[in-house]
Amino acid sequence: MTREQERFAVSPIGFLRAAHVRPSGRQETDFVAVAERFVGTPYLWGGKTSLGIDCSGLVQLALTACGIACPRDSDMQERTLGKPVADLSSLRRGDLIFWKGHMAIVRDERTIVHANAHHMAVAIEPTMAAVARISATGSEVTSVRRL
């Protein structure tokens, strides 16, 4: 097989880039990394595809890719996922921050990834800047959950 041929995988419908193909049944191991792949995807309330996605759809897709069961809507996710974290001062990668009707995934101690109407896309931004901006609209953080 030539080097050029190794870059492609054959399927019944044609050729695919090998980098875009995974063995059937293989699960991802880092749901935050999965969510980060959607950066730039348009925001669409109720969406859950590359054509448009909302905050809870992003979380559900990322967790499902890792084999973690996850309900669809943010209120159900807040009630059922993980354990409570005391406050924003002890955030870790993979924590979930919830507001009324919105949520975000913590990337590290300083940034989050979330699908949001402010950017009209999935975006990465500083956590405290997002908390302040959302708070200014009258919505305070309702909880932080750790899986």
Side-chain angles (χ1 to χ4, degrees):
M1 187 177 287
T2 69
R3 186 176 172 136
E4 182 65 23
Q5 289 170 324
E6 289 175 356
R7 292 179 44 213
F8 294 93
V10 179
S11 83
I13 59 171
F15 294 91
L16 302 169
R17 289 209 164 273
H20 297 172
V21 179
R22 298 270 190 260
S24 178
R26 178 175 169 232
Q27 293 180 334
E28 295 288 337
T29 58
D30 182 353
F31 81 93
V32 180
V34 173
E36 290 169 335
R37 291 184 203 145
F38 285 88
V39 168
T41 300
Y43 173 80
L44 176 64
W45 185 76
K48 202 171 90 167
T49 71
S50 61
L51 298 176
I53 192 166
D54 68 8
C55 61
S56 57
L58 177 66
V59 171
Q60 186 184 44
L61 283 170
L63 288 174
T64 301
C66 294
I68 301 169
C70 179
R72 174 60 179 98
D73 295 325
S74 61
D75 60 332
M76 293 183 280
Q77 292 170 351
E78 185 174 17
R79 282 193 308 270
T80 63
L81 294 176
K83 303 281 185 214
V85 173
D87 56 49
L88 294 171
S89 66
S90 59
L91 293 176
R92 290 195 301 206
R93 183 177 178 84
D95 287 349
L96 303 173
I97 303 174
F98 291 89
W99 295 263
K100 183 177 168 116
H102 185 60
M103 64 186 306
I105 302 169
V106 175
R107 295 179 64 237
D108 55 39
E109 61 279 348
R110 294 182 319 275
T111 61
I112 58 172
V113 59
H114 60 144
N116 65 89
H118 177 76
H119 295 101
M120 289 308 293
V122 176
I124 293 171
E125 68 177 311
T127 303
M128 297 318 291
V131 168
R133 185 185 72 250
I134 296 167
S135 177
T137 69
S139 185
E140 300 296 327
V141 171
T142 56
S143 72
V144 178
R145 312 278 299 176
R146 182 166 294 151
L147 300 181

